[in-house]
Amino acid sequence: MLELTMAAVSGTDEGATAGMQMADAPSTPGSVLRVGRDKAVCRLGTPSDWLFVSRVHLEFQYGSDGVWHLTWLRGSQPDPSSEVRILAGGAAHPLAYGGTVALPPGGSGEIVIQDRTSPRSVNVGFHHEA
């Protein structure tokens, strides 16, 4: 089971958890959770006017290899207006635009979508069992 919590944070709300959203999915091949502005497709929806987040920005997918994978989906622009980093195991790792990374098994951490032009971010916490 993958559990996600998400909070949209502006510079004045640092550390605030108001409006936190939660979603989960079973660890079975083909399970998918998405984060983005398009609430019809994404289980965790960001503010619709936060254009630094794509309609479908992040995708968590459980693979046939028994591992959860995180992909930063490429949007309609050649260059993103945000940065994505993964905080896990006491270290921060950038995720490349269009890149995929395996989540550490049986772990927890946070994915941060940071606006490049203002102090806004979308913080997605994750936890899953091995």
Side-chain angles (χ1 to χ4, degrees):
M1 172 82 59
L2 175 67
E3 299 171 342
L4 301 178
T5 57
M6 185 192 81
V9 181
S10 67
T12 59
D13 297 332
E14 196 68 35
T17 56
M20 185 175 287
Q21 298 177 41
M22 301 174 78
D24 60 33
S27 294
T28 55
S31 289
V32 175
L33 285 171
R34 293 182 184 97
V35 176
R37 293 189 342 258
D38 187 344
K39 292 173 181 69
V41 178
C42 300
R43 293 268 309 273
L44 295 174
T46 64
S48 60
D49 61 341
W50 283 24
L51 301 180
F52 70 96
V53 178
S54 300
R55 287 183 349 89
V56 182
H57 202 89
L58 300 177
E59 181 175 83
F60 297 82
Q61 184 170 31
Y62 194 78
S64 58
D65 58 357
V67 175
W68 279 99
H69 297 272
L70 167 64
T71 301
W72 179 4
L73 300 170
R74 293 187 70 86
S76 60
Q77 301 298 318
D79 295 314
S81 54
S82 63
E83 298 175 353
V84 175
R85 64 184 179 278
I86 302 167
L87 309 168
H93 306 280
L95 181 58
Y97 186 44
T100 299
V101 64
L103 295 180
S108 61
E110 185 175 35
I111 294 96
V112 178
I113 305 169
Q114 182 70 53
D115 187 346
R116 287 186 172 173
T117 62
S118 73
R120 300 183 296 183
S121 67
V122 175
N123 299 8
V124 180
F126 69 88
H127 174 78
H128 65 99
E129 303 297 324

